[in-house]
Amino acid sequence: MTNDEHDQDPAAAAAAAARVRLDRALAQLAVTFHGMTARADESNCDCHWGSPEELALLKLPGTELDPDLLHRTWSVPDWRDHGAVLRRILPQFARFLTGGLGDYAWDIDRVGYSFHRAEWWQQWPAPQSAAVDEFLHAWWARSLLTPDPALPVHELLQLCTEASGTIGPWLADWEALHHPIADQHLAHTVDAWERDLLGDSLPWTTWSFWPDEAEAVRTELTAWLVSRAPERLRAHGAPEQLLHAVRLLGLTDGDRWYDPHWPNHRYS
């Protein structure tokens, strides 16, 4: 494909724009949070977090942390001021996240909660909260347009929902993005989550929501899939079983369980 043809390909142009947007968001995080440190009186016990020397690094601006220390820093729940600690590591942490977390991908479920418990980052000073919001949305858009992103799209949707306390904006971004790769990710998400959703359960273990809040998120997700997914899945050429799974989400009780296309899931 020539450069001129590439420029005329809307799908390729959208993917390129998403890459640029994410690069700019990461750069903006580096500028916005430059010089941030943990509080001078911040502490943590050396038996489960790290040494005094490692703690001192969090009170020095701009010093890169090794991956293990970075993981311990964002994942522990008992900082005096988790928001200040997160701001200290955020530029490096964001780059680490977009690379898939490396050897710490197993702990991806707790990343959104790390943002969530940072004293509601949405209430940080406007330039800081705007930089975090743009990073998450840019990362989300970039992943939706990447055939094999470092973090599967359904896991990133969980992360962004937990981090922000809401699922609506992320579904709205997905709905507005008409792209074959975004539709491919939709099919994969339905495939990954249909068992839990058909059992009326949120398809991940939440760290950020009370039970009634989690149920509201599940309800919103289910309603969006029922109303928005079928047309896109058909256009993508998704298997009939996925189309039936989405249709079944729109049914309740016996209408769902006794439907001839019920997948015979068993729930204890």
Side-chain angles (χ1 to χ4, degrees):
M1 178 180 291
T2 67
N3 288 336
D4 288 341
E5 289 171 334
H6 186 280
D7 292 340
Q8 294 171 5
D9 181 351
R19 286 195 299 272
V20 171
R21 181 184 180 187
L22 179 56
D23 288 343
R24 289 176 176 169
L26 289 168
Q28 188 60 49
L29 284 180
V31 171
T32 302
F33 295 96
H34 175 73
M36 298 284 180
T37 66
R39 284 172 30 177
D41 63 347
E42 187 62 81
S43 64
N44 216 311
C45 77
D46 55 13
C47 64
H48 82 282
W49 179 77
S51 68
E53 292 77 16
E54 289 174 318
L55 181 63
L57 292 176
L58 300 183
K59 302 173 184 180
L60 291 175
T63 305
E64 293 280 299
L65 309 181
D66 68 63
D68 180 63
L69 180 57
L70 183 65
H71 171 251
R72 281 182 275 137
T73 300
W74 66 258
S75 62
V76 297
D78 52 357
W79 294 113
R80 292 181 179 180
D81 187 342
H82 185 87
V85 170
L86 185 62
R87 287 190 292 271
R88 160 63 179 82
I89 66 171
L90 196 48
Q92 181 184 1
F93 187 32
R95 296 195 310 273
F96 199 55
L97 285 172
T98 58
L101 280 175
D103 292 338
Y104 301 94
W106 58 270
D107 208 15
I108 192 67
D109 286 352
R110 290 197 291 173
V111 172
Y113 183 51
S114 185
F115 281 87
H116 184 81
R117 67 176 183 267
E119 298 179 350
W120 286 101
W121 58 266
Q122 292 98 328
Q123 297 177 18
W124 291 353
Q128 297 178 13
S129 60
V132 175
D133 185 70
E134 173 58 12
F135 161 65
L136 291 173
H137 279 279
W139 184 20
W140 175 233
R142 175 73 179 101
S143 296
L144 285 172
L145 295 177
T146 302
D148 188 20
L151 188 66
V153 158
H154 66 279
E155 293 185 7
L156 183 54
L157 178 56
Q158 169 190 340
L159 186 158
C160 291
T161 301
E162 296 269 316
S164 64
T166 180
I167 199 170
W170 316 106
L171 297 179
D173 285 355
W174 205 344
E175 182 175 346
L177 195 57
H178 300 285
H179 194 285
I181 295 176
D183 293 345
Q184 171 186 316
H185 289 309
L186 181 59
H188 289 165
T189 296
V190 173
D191 186 50
W193 282 355
E194 58 92 9
R195 180 185 177 90
D196 290 308
L197 290 173
L198 286 173
D200 291 330
S201 297
L202 189 68
W204 69 80
T205 300
T206 179
W207 298 84
S208 302
F209 299 117
W210 293 104
D212 59 332
E213 295 171 329
E215 175 60 14
V217 169
R218 182 200 67 80
T219 300
E220 185 174 358
L221 171 61
T222 298
W224 185 82
L225 289 173
V226 169
S227 62
R228 301 295 190 268
E231 181 179 353
R232 297 179 73 156
L233 291 176
R234 289 191 190 94
H236 176 66
E240 283 295 314
Q241 65 183 31
L242 290 187
L243 293 169
H244 283 300
V246 173
R247 180 181 59 80
L248 288 168
L249 288 174
L251 306 179
T252 58
D253 300 330
D255 288 339
R256 178 185 295 178
W257 305 325
Y258 296 115
D259 188 277
H261 294 283
W262 173 254
N264 293 320
H265 292 322
R266 296 289 184 265
Y267 301 94
S268 58

